[in-house]
Amino acid sequence: MRCRADGVTAGLAVGPRLSLRASGTVCGPWEFATGVRDLLSPQLQVAQLAVRGDEALIPAREVWRDWIYSRDVAGGVVALVHAKELHFPMYHLSSGIDWRGSFFQWCQLLKGHFSNFRWRVAEDGEEPNVTFVVDRDRAPMDITQIVRDIGFRP
């Protein structure tokens, strides 16, 4: 999520000095398959398979994304709204974390909690039942300014 203090960026207007525009990859407890969202996070897709005791077929290549937990986004938005002074016209509201390699760790963690759950990387020609939706990488956003100005840490 990027935040601009000049009110120019389209998105959620929070007042005369702050506008918000989502641009990170958010996951969290309020994801539901309602048909409104075009993407349920791969974390949720795998968790649903784990709860059912099904097997997750993971794409061979983990897509590099800038994941952030939805409650961390909410905390960052609240902190920005209540900031006494903003020093920059734009702030990145993201985790700033390099998540490469963490998705397989997530699958392994779920396996430890759901005994019937299995997961593996899909073989060549085999269709994964978990999708990253996009196949291009996106590096983490630089959160130096928001950390320095308001102390935001996801």
Side-chain angles (χ1 to χ4, degrees):
M1 179 171 281
R2 291 186 305 219
C3 299
R4 288 188 61 165
D6 61 7
V8 173
T9 301
L12 174 64
V14 186
R17 66 184 188 117
L18 185 62
S19 288
L20 307 175
R21 184 177 142 226
S23 64
T25 308
V26 180
C27 59
W30 295 292
E31 291 186 76
F32 297 99
T34 62
V36 175
R37 282 184 71 158
D38 61 347
L39 162 69
L40 295 176
S41 71
Q43 291 88 343
L44 176 63
Q45 295 172 49
V46 171
Q48 290 174 330
L49 292 166
V51 168
R52 290 194 306 260
D54 292 339
E55 181 177 50
L57 299 176
I58 311 299
R61 183 180 168 289
E62 178 183 359
V63 177
W64 187 21
R65 307 300 289 173
D66 57 341
W67 300 107
I68 186 166
Y69 189 54
S70 59
R71 292 178 178 174
D72 291 336
V73 171
V77 169
V78 168
L80 281 165
V81 167
H82 292 290
K84 298 206 184 307
E85 185 177 13
L86 297 174
H87 298 102
F88 297 96
M90 183 180 296
Y91 291 88
H92 292 162
L93 181 51
S94 182
S95 67
I97 296 171
D98 182 346
W99 291 103
R100 285 180 287 191
S102 67
F103 194 73
F104 295 151
Q105 292 173 358
W106 172 242
C107 293
Q108 200 58 35
L109 178 76
L110 288 170
K111 184 178 180 183
H113 291 278
F114 298 94
S115 59
N116 292 329
F117 174 62
R118 300 158 325 283
W119 72 275
R120 64 182 173 85
V121 174
E123 297 178 17
D124 285 340
E126 189 174 27
E127 188 71 26
N129 61 356
V130 173
T131 180
F132 291 108
V133 178
V134 296
D135 60 357
R136 66 183 188 278
D137 294 330
R138 184 169 60 205
M141 294 183 188
D142 181 359
I143 63 170
T144 304
Q145 292 174 336
I146 196 168
V147 169
R148 183 176 41 235
D149 275 12
I150 64 168
F152 171 77
R153 289 263 186 219

